[in-house]
Amino acid sequence: GRDEQIEKVAGEIGPVVAGQPPNSTIIYGKTGCGKSLVAKHVLKIAQEEAEGRDVTLATGYVNCQQAKGNSDALAKYGRSINPPRSRVKFPTRGISENEYFERVWSVLNEFYDGTIIVLDEVDKLKNDDLLMALSRAGEDGSVDIPIGVIAVSNKINYRNQMSERTKSSFGHNEFVFEPYDASQLREILRNRTDAFVEGCLDEGVIPRAAALSAREHG
């Protein structure tokens, strides 16, 4: 039920698989409408496409709700992309935010041709400093490779909280995910019928459940 959204997000991020600068993007929508799944899926297909082009792509996913601020989010991202042969370390504490940035840039410059990072629940961070630094890293000369950022938020008005500089980094590359409609919910539920003993689901159960869910919240 999210093929169109997958294509749009992938279209913005896509150039990075060829080593070209992508467009960073923000995904908005209520809880449960597929934002995180789409972002993760785009990461997966980008990684596969990059491998086919012999491009070394770093893909990282950080749930900002589980991170204790910018430094912790950076450390999680750094550990997720840090190859075994790297001598760079990302301790859980004891170094400054700037040092985490320097270590992330070091790993990216030494081992990768490009990177995509998903910042899920980005509105849980206290400020948008991390978002701005990542989206402007190439422009600021921090890294020599293209960086694509996919920011995900449940808050439709999150953009209003961003600084003008951060807003300009993302331009108008925003996607609002509407709740699923009844036909999309039917498709999703039909893909989960293998959870039931064969023959136990009456023919009208899935259409009825989908209609009720679409009417309530989607």
Side-chain angles (χ1 to χ4, degrees), residues 9-211:
V9 175
E12 298 295 337
I13 292 295
V16 76
V17 304
Q20 301 299 316
N23 293 320
S24 293
T25 184
I26 305 177
I27 300 174
Y28 301 106
K30 293 181 178 179
T31 300
C33 62
K35 304 182 302 299
S36 300
L37 283 174
V38 166
K40 289 177 179 178
H41 184 67
V42 169
L43 279 188
K44 180 175 178 289
I45 59 177
Q47 186 72 66
E48 292 170 354
E49 182 67 22
E51 288 172 3
R53 294 168 177 257
D54 202 26
V55 171
T56 307
L57 184 67
T59 53
Y61 171 87
V62 178
N63 188 326
C64 298
Q65 186 173 28
Q66 298 172 358
K68 302 167 185 174
N70 291 345
S71 292
D72 192 34
L74 271 174
K76 290 178 185 295
Y77 170 58
R79 285 193 289 271
S80 71
I81 65 168
N82 202 21
R85 65 185 184 278
S86 171
R87 294 183 179 181
V88 179
K89 304 296 182 185
F90 292 91
T92 55
R93 60 178 65 87
I95 62 176
S96 67
E97 185 176 316
N98 283 340
E99 181 61 24
Y100 278 120
F101 271 119
E102 290 302 320
R103 295 187 186 196
V104 166
W105 305 149
S106 174
V107 168
L108 290 175
N109 284 327
E110 183 174 356
F111 297 105
Y112 295 101
D113 301 314
T115 182
I116 304 173
I117 176 172
V118 173
L119 294 176
D120 204 352
E121 305 269 10
V122 68
D123 49 89
K124 299 300 182 182
L125 296 176
K126 293 180 180 179
N127 53 55
D128 64 358
D129 291 353
L130 179 59
L131 208 55
M132 183 175 69
L134 289 170
S135 63
R136 288 184 170 267
E139 181 184 321
D140 293 344
S142 300
V143 290
D144 301 322
I145 65 168
I147 292 183
V149 180
I150 302 176
V152 181
S153 175
N154 294 333
K155 296 183 178 179
I156 303 296
N157 63 349
Y158 175 67
R159 185 180 177 87
N160 297 334
Q161 303 172 28
M162 293 161 55
S163 68
E164 292 302 320
R165 201 164 173 233
T166 306
K167 287 180 187 176
S168 68
S169 296
F170 284 84
H172 296 286
N173 303 319
E174 303 171 297
F175 301 102
V176 177
F177 283 26
E178 300 294 340
Y180 291 108
D181 61 29
S183 63
Q184 292 169 327
L185 288 166
R186 281 198 302 273
E187 181 185 351
I188 290 167
L189 291 173
R190 285 195 180 109
N191 278 311
R192 286 158 174 74
T193 56
D194 57 355
F196 294 86
V197 174
E198 189 174 351
C200 80
L201 276 179
D202 184 81
E203 213 172 88
V205 170
I206 285 178
R208 178 64 172 162

